[in-house]
Amino acid sequence: MIGSKIHTIYKTSTSAAKQSLTVFIIYLDREVHFNNHRLSHLLQLLRSSAISSSSMTSQSSKDNGDDKHKKSSASCRLAPQIMLSSINAWAAQEKNGLKDFIKAQLKVAVVLTVAYFGNVYEPAYPRNDNHAPQMFWLVNGFLAMAALWTWTWKASPASRTGGHPRVVILGREQTEEWKGWMQWAFIFYHYYRVYYVYNEIRVFVSAYVWMTGFGNFLYFDKKGDFTIERFVSMIIRINYFPLLLSYFLSVPLELYYVVPLHTCGFIMTMVSCYIAVLFERKCGFGYWKSRTSAVLVSLVAHILFYETPAVDVLLYFSKEIHFRFQADKYSAWMGLASGLLWGKIGEYMQWDLHL
């Protein structure tokens, strides 16, 4: 029923009106879980926008200069309505709406409060004095026993064509488990100052950055979601809490160097995948040719930056950032390339399973 209403309104609108209607149609398509009253209100706003835009278009055909001015004025008048309707609709959501947002910020406030008082706690000793390798291995042993105790096995679902279960390489469950173990190691490595496992921790950091390229490539290659919304939401997701933590604890952001590494890795992967899509659409490349070309373009860009004096631009931020970026300069790119090969490796595993 909603679709028929939108279709009728859209069909009876002029081309100028359709430009403004498209914004609402996309919005309604994403928010169809709202109640009928909310949808009716938005549809009424949609209809009034169409009528307003239609009348402007019919009269503006006499004067092209006036047409541009009226379209601009209509857009200016419509923009606050779009924004207000979006905010009202978001606030009314039962899930991920205003209530959930407030709850999430309260949780963040509690964590920041605990971190702040823990950081200024007077009896605390300097962190370098807490050198206790035995405790590091002890807590890791406890974690290993807990992992074995709670170990569960679940068969992979059957393939789309039926038959045998699929063999999933580095699926979500595996990568989440992997990240969890590495996070545990990061925390207790720093807490107990176990200097002699530095190289292993460096590998873990690189693996974490590798996952940024790997996971985001699979997402963009499958979804093709290169919207501003996706970009902004990821930038906020990666940087929001670290920025707050850095501010409230008066700690330089460079100590959370993995955050800019993840941010740049995400941007690099998004741009590379978008280039692949352009190769496919504009140049007529096939899937493998377009993706491989984009991966190679990304590699050349990495080489031109990291293997030339251009990398010294990072010194404007800090020597720590300069060092950390060079230590993991190809990690996200390797994840990007691995994501490209992931499908083929999975196909081989399915074939090998039936031998």
Side-chain angles (χ1 to χ4, degrees), residues 123-131 191 193:
Y125 43 76
R127 68 178 192 168
N128 289 332
D129 292 351
N130 194 32
H131 180 60
Y191 189 79
R193 313 305 293 165

Side-chain angles (χ1 to χ4, degrees), residues 126-134 136-137 185 188-202:
R127 68 178 192 168
N128 289 332
D129 292 351
N130 194 32
H131 180 60
Q134 296 83 2
F136 173 78
W137 293 113
F188 287 101
Y189 159 76
H190 286 290
Y191 189 79
Y192 289 117
R193 313 305 293 165
V194 189
Y195 305 113
Y196 58 80
V197 297
Y198 171 81
N199 289 334
E200 288 75 13
I201 296 299
R202 280 292 322 131

Side-chain angles (χ1 to χ4, degrees), residues 92-108:
Q93 288 182 192
E94 294 183 2
K95 184 178 181 181
N96 297 327
L98 181 60
K99 291 183 180 179
D100 287 342
F101 175 78
I102 294 175
K103 289 180 181 178
Q105 302 317 304
L106 290 175
K107 292 178 182 178
V108 170

Side-chain angles (χ1 to χ4, degrees), residues 87-159:
I87 293 174
N88 289 336
W90 167 73
Q93 288 182 192
E94 294 183 2
K95 184 178 181 181
N96 297 327
L98 181 60
K99 291 183 180 179
D100 287 342
F101 175 78
I102 294 175
K103 289 180 181 178
Q105 302 317 304
L106 290 175
K107 292 178 182 178
V108 170
V110 170
V111 174
L112 289 174
T113 301
V114 173
Y116 174 79
F117 285 106
N119 194 50
V120 299
Y121 183 58
E122 285 298 333
Y125 43 76
R127 68 178 192 168
N128 289 332
D129 292 351
N130 194 32
H131 180 60
Q134 296 83 2
M135 287 299 299
F136 173 78
W137 293 113
L138 182 62
V139 295
N140 276 284
F142 284 144
L143 177 63
M145 287 189 292
L148 291 172
W149 184 263
T150 58
W151 191 304
T152 57
W153 183 86
K154 181 180 179 181
S156 299
S159 61

Side-chain angles (χ1 to χ4, degrees), residues 156-168:
S156 299
S159 61
R160 295 177 181 176
T161 58
H164 295 280
R166 295 181 295 114
V167 176
V168 180

Side-chain angles (χ1 to χ4, degrees), residues 186-256:
F186 294 150
I187 292 172
F188 287 101
Y189 159 76
H190 286 290
Y191 189 79
Y192 289 117
R193 313 305 293 165
V194 189
Y195 305 113
Y196 58 80
V197 297
Y198 171 81
N199 289 334
E200 288 75 13
I201 296 299
R202 280 292 322 131
V203 172
F204 286 178
V205 173
S206 186
Y208 228 107
V209 179
W210 177 91
M211 283 192 206
T212 299
F214 178 76
N216 281 291
F217 174 84
L218 295 180
Y219 175 85
F220 287 118
D221 193 56
K222 180 180 180 180
K223 301 290 186 179
D225 181 12
F226 301 102
T227 60
I228 294 294
E229 180 182 357
R230 175 65 182 178
F231 177 80
V232 173
S233 65
M234 283 299 297
I235 296 299
I236 293 175
R237 183 186 304 178
I238 297 171
N239 293 273
Y240 177 62
F241 185 72
L243 288 173
L244 289 177
L245 198 61
S246 174
Y247 175 77
F248 280 97
L249 300 186
S250 300
V251 174
L253 188 60
E254 65 183 24
L255 292 184
Y256 307 129

